[in-house]
């Protein structure tokens, strides 16, 4: 008898959004320290576009999907604290696989939640972006009370989380940038004191912390906005622009720091610490201290979700409905 199979959306070859295909794949089993999750919803993220484009080295065919909400299906050897049927929000970023009916991840990267207090649709949009905001500001940028913070792409999925998380961590002035005037009002609603066009960055003043997921010319301009002893965190290249060289001697003479952050690499090495940040994010959203706005598409519309994200037209977060719940 062959392995049991499930429905999934796969990347059979690298390319445009149209390469995404529905497929039947084997149901994964949890190994030591892992849990298997029956997926209800899966977040759609820019990271999955990088996989699809071949910019991340993955073996094909590949099931993308770096975050989910669902219910515990099975426990691997040595796992305690969960029971089958428990609702969880989980990071699946280390191995991916969220665009499927069942996914496996480290038990440390799954956090229980109460569906009566946190909508499972929203829960699927918390693990990647909200966790990243806590880790980047607290662990990498070492935010201190009163620090001024500049965040690029403030209306996007991850940018939408940084404004309020910065406030929760004690920031003073929090400014976001966007690429078009149409996004200013949306980004302002995400907790920023001020939202400006990236083209107007030169007049924004100086900041203790800059978070750059845009890259290209914005990266060089961001370094110029750093105050002495300022920290810039590089965590993306959404512009698709060429890499920008930064002078180590310039950092030396100006007392500035540039760090990189990649959630997948961090979670692979520090799953327990990542899980702590994930729980912190889930608790903040559940309590209403942090807002995650979502729009929902069915799993078979994953290609459309990718096109929307690539076009830069999205605000907030897109979530794919994997199980059938009748959600529009």
């Amino acid at each position: 008898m062959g392995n049991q199979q499930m429905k999934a959306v796969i990347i059979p070859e690298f390319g445009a959004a149209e390469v995404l295909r529905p497929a039947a794949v084997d149901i994964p089993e949890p190994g030591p320290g892992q849990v298997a999750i029956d997926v209800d919803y899966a977040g759609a993220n820019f990271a999955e576009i990088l996989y699809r484009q071949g910019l991340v080295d993955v073996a094909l065919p590949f099931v993308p999907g770096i975050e989910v909400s669902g219910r515990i299906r099975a426990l691997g050897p040595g796992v305690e604290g969960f029971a089958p049927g428990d609702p969880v929000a989980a990071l699946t970023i280390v191995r991916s696989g969220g665009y499927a009916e069942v996914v496996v991840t480290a038990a440390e990267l799954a956090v229980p939640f109460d569906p009566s207090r946190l909508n499972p649709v929203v829960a699927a949009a918390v693990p990647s972006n909200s966790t990243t905001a806590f880790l980047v500001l607290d662990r990498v940028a070492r935010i201190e009370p009163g620090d001024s913070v500049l965040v690029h792409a403030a209306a996007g999925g991850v940018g939408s989380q940084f404004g309020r998380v910065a406030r929760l961590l004690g920031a003073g002035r929090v400014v976001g940038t966007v690429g078009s005037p149409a996004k200013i009002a949306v980004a302002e609603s995400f907790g920023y004191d001020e939202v400006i066009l990236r083209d107007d960055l030169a007049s924004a003043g100086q900041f203790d912390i800059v978070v750059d997921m845009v890259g290209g010319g914005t990266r060089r301009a961001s370094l110029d906005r750093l105050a002495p002893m300022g920290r810039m965190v590089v965590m993306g290249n959404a512009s698709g622009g060429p890499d920008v060289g930064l002078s180590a001697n310039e950092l030396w003479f100006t007392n500035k720091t540039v760090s990189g952050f990649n959630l997948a690499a961090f979670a692979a090495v520090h799953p327990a610490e990542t899980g702590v940040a994930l729980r912190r994010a889930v608790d903040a959203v559940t309590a209403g201290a942090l807002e995650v706005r979502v729009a929902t598409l069915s799993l078979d519309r994953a290609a459309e979700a990718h096109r929307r994200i690539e076009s830069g037209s999205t605000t907030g977060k897109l979530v794919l409905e994997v199980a059938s719940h009748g959600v529009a």
Side-chain angles (χ1 to χ4, degrees):
M1 180 180 295
N3 292 334
Q4 286 188 302
Q5 294 199 310
M6 62 180 178
K7 71 177 183 180
V9 167
I10 67 170
I11 301 170
E13 60 184 306
F14 299 125
E18 288 70 28
V19 303
L20 293 172
R21 292 284 184 274
V25 302
D26 290 345
I27 295 177
E29 297 292 336
Q34 296 180 330
V35 293
I37 299 168
D38 285 316
V39 178
D40 290 328
Y41 301 95
N45 296 275
F46 192 79
E48 292 134 15
I49 292 169
L50 300 181
Y51 296 142
R52 197 203 69 228
Q53 293 173 334
L55 298 177
V56 179
D57 185 20
V58 297
L60 300 179
F62 182 76
V63 181
I66 67 172
E67 60 181 343
V68 303
S69 68
R71 291 151 288 119
I72 294 292
R73 175 187 180 90
L75 308 179
V79 174
E80 298 178 351
F82 293 101
D86 285 350
V88 292
L91 262 176
T92 54
I93 193 168
V94 176
R95 293 177 39 172
S96 278
Y99 290 15
E101 291 181 296
V102 181
V103 68
V104 165
T105 192
E108 293 166 308
L109 299 179
V111 171
F113 71 93
D114 181 351
S116 70
R117 300 181 61 207
L118 177 61
N119 188 319
V121 179
V122 176
V126 173
S128 174
N129 293 342
S130 307
T131 303
T132 292
F134 276 106
L135 285 172
V136 165
L137 290 173
D138 201 11
R139 176 70 152 82
V140 185
R142 306 181 308 282
I143 192 169
E144 297 180 355
D147 274 352
S148 55
V149 180
L150 175 71
V151 179
H152 294 302
V158 66
S160 71
Q161 298 303 285
F162 271 94
R164 287 197 173 90
V165 171
R167 286 280 183 232
L168 290 174
L169 297 178
R173 181 186 179 213
V174 185
V175 176
T177 77
V178 293
S180 68
K183 292 186 175 183
I184 290 178
V186 173
E188 286 175 339
S189 71
F190 289 135
Y192 291 94
D193 294 314
E194 181 184 359
V195 178
I196 62 174
L197 294 175
R198 278 192 292 278
D199 289 345
D200 297 333
L201 190 56
S203 61
Q206 289 189 313
F207 297 86
D208 299 302
I209 296 171
V210 176
V211 181
D212 176 29
M213 63 283 283
V214 174
T218 299
R219 189 148 297 160
R220 174 65 254 182
S222 297
L223 188 62
D224 293 339
R225 293 301 94 217
L226 274 185
M229 300 306 295
R231 293 87 70 197
M232 181 167 76
V233 183
V234 174
M235 49 165 290
N237 190 41
S239 68
D243 197 6
V244 176
L246 302 176
S247 166
N249 282 346
E250 178 183 354
L251 301 179
W252 166 33
F253 282 117
T254 59
N255 288 314
K256 297 177 181 180
T257 298
V258 178
S259 301
F261 181 81
N262 180 284
L263 181 60
F266 187 88
V269 178
H270 303 288
E273 186 175 352
T274 305
V276 169
L278 171 56
R279 185 179 294 274
R280 196 176 184 184
V282 169
D283 288 348
V285 176
T286 301
L290 183 61
E291 180 186 12
V292 181
R293 297 180 197 169
V294 302
T296 309
L297 297 171
S298 59
L299 180 62
D300 60 9
R301 296 171 68 187
E304 179 182 341
H306 279 219
R307 284 191 291 268
R308 289 190 191 181
I309 295 170
E310 285 182 278
S311 72
S313 63
T314 57
T315 56
K317 195 67 179 284
L318 288 177
V319 168
L320 301 173
E321 182 187 2
V322 179
S324 296
H325 299 278
V327 177

